[in-house]
Amino acid sequence: MHPIYFLQAQIAKAFLMVYRLAGLRIGSWLGAQLGTLLGKIARERHIAAENLALAMPHLSAPEQKQVLDKCWAQLGRVVGEFPHMDKIAREAEQRVTIEGAEHVRAALPDGGPAMFVSGHFANWELMMLGIQRLVGKTGSLYRRANNPYMEAWVIAQRAAFMPVQIPKGSDGARIMIDLLKNGTSLGVLIDQKLGTGDPITFMGRPTKAPSASIKLARRFDIPCIPTVIRRREDAPDKIHFVQQFYPALDIPKTDDMKADVDYAMRQAYDLIEQWIEEKPEEWFWQHNRWK
């Protein structure tokens, strides 16, 4: 392994240890300060600014700057909160308010697995807390860390709220199928660009989106339920959230699988666009989804 990866991992762990020692509330605040600084110097600031300008041109220049400033602070909070995932998971009932649970019950009147789809909003890592409170142990797809020295640490932190972690790739696809066959629900983030994905128009621009979750839901005839997590504005601190669940997507099952999947994906992406319009500062603009 390249020595630079080892050095990067030690620096990252040192920062994360500071957040851990500072406590959850101060750690989240410190993360926001670092995120604000990175928003001024990081290479990705240009990607985020271009994405926002092209996707939401109706916002004025000052409004776009305000969104980006809040977005970078929000991203920093995600990092500052990561070493405290075990504490947040223990306090999930107080920190994560659930709305729309009736939609999950309606989609699963007799139990069984479901596919839950969402995007990178607020602290998206915590999406699994609300899902598992409603349906029990749930598998979650994740992207492997670029730095192999950080991989084990990240997996250990996620274990507090993500007991079944599935790496993206062909092996992960097989694991997802096995879990569904055994009655285990899955949670997947579907708003990132995937070069091998299906074409879709997103925020008025063409891109490709991962549709495997929709295809699996169709294949196994299980509900696909959208959900989004937000930071609460009426809470004593920023580490309180509300997770909203929506009615299951309408996934047809005709002889034209592509048309069926496209129809369901459009419903999912209409919701993602709605969530972005409502609170653009809580979405992860730093990823180049329209490259």
Side-chain angles (χ1 to χ4, degrees):
M1 295 184 185
H2 202 287
I4 192 65
Y5 284 148
F6 179 78
L7 179 60
Q8 289 173 344
Q10 303 318 303
I11 294 173
K13 288 180 181 180
F15 269 102
L16 293 165
M17 181 57 69
V18 170
Y19 296 145
R20 177 78 177 187
L21 294 174
L24 174 56
R25 184 179 293 192
I26 296 177
S28 177
W29 179 83
L30 286 173
Q33 306 314 302
L34 178 61
T36 300
L37 174 62
L38 288 176
K40 301 181 187 302
I41 62 174
R43 173 175 60 89
E44 289 79 7
R45 72 188 188 279
H46 301 298
I47 296 174
E50 181 180 2
N51 284 343
L52 179 61
L54 292 172
M56 305 186 74
H58 57 281
L59 296 180
S60 66
E63 288 173 331
Q64 290 182 22
K65 182 180 183 304
Q66 184 179 45
V67 167
L68 290 173
D69 288 346
K70 290 181 178 180
C71 175
W72 280 101
Q74 143 68 29
L75 180 59
R77 284 191 181 277
V78 174
V79 177
E81 291 158 6
F82 202 78
H84 301 280
M85 290 301 189
D86 54 346
K87 175 178 174 62
I88 298 174
R90 290 195 304 270
E91 300 174 355
E93 291 195 10
Q94 292 75 42
R95 292 194 175 274
V96 182
T97 300
I98 292 177
E99 295 181 355
E102 66 274 12
H103 299 308
V104 179
R105 291 192 291 268
L108 298 169
D110 302 314
M115 184 73 69
F116 292 86
V117 293
S118 189
H120 291 75
F121 294 89
N123 192 332
W124 59 85
E125 295 277 358
L126 302 177
M127 179 187 74
M128 300 305 296
L129 292 176
I131 295 174
Q132 292 180 130
R133 278 167 61 186
L134 296 181
V135 300
K137 186 172 71 172
T138 304
S140 181
L141 198 66
Y142 75 94
R143 180 182 178 277
R144 291 187 182 277
N146 292 331
N147 188 319
Y149 290 102
M150 289 296 295
E151 183 76 12
W153 187 89
V154 169
I155 290 174
Q157 298 305 305
R158 284 182 172 144
F161 60 96
M162 197 184 290
V164 183
Q165 302 181 52
I166 309 164
K168 288 184 178 179
S170 57
D171 290 342
R174 288 191 289 270
I175 294 171
M176 291 172 71
I177 291 172
D178 289 341
L179 288 170
L180 290 175
K181 286 180 177 179
N182 292 322
T184 302
S185 296
L186 298 174
V188 184
L189 302 175
I190 64 170
D191 59 335
Q192 284 194 317
K193 180 181 181 294
L194 182 66
T196 57
D198 292 338
I200 196 167
T201 299
F202 180 29
M203 300 297 288
R205 302 172 65 193
T207 187
K208 290 186 177 181
S211 58
S213 54
I214 303 292
K215 292 174 180 175
L216 286 173
R218 180 183 180 277
R219 173 180 172 182
F220 290 99
D221 197 23
I222 62 173
C224 186
I225 303 171
T227 181
V228 66
I229 191 165
R230 304 287 207 183
R231 291 189 189 271
R232 283 177 51 189
E233 298 179 356
D234 59 345
D237 60 40
K238 295 287 187 180
I239 316 100
H240 283 77
F241 305 84
V242 56
Q243 186 165 353
Q244 178 75 47
F245 291 86
Y246 291 77
L249 302 177
D250 177 18
I251 306 179
K253 203 165 187 179
T254 70
D255 293 335
D256 190 341
M257 187 187 78
K258 182 180 184 306
D260 296 345
V261 172
D262 287 347
Y263 179 76
M265 283 292 289
R266 184 68 266 161
Q267 296 171 58
Y269 265 70
D270 283 347
L271 275 174
I272 292 173
E273 290 180 358
Q274 174 189 318
W275 299 337
I276 293 173
E277 292 282 355
E278 290 171 350
K279 283 191 173 183
E281 69 275 10
E282 287 200 340
W283 193 53
F284 182 44
W285 290 98
Q286 290 86 347
H287 174 73
N288 197 345
R289 287 167 176 79
W290 294 282
K291 184 176 180 181

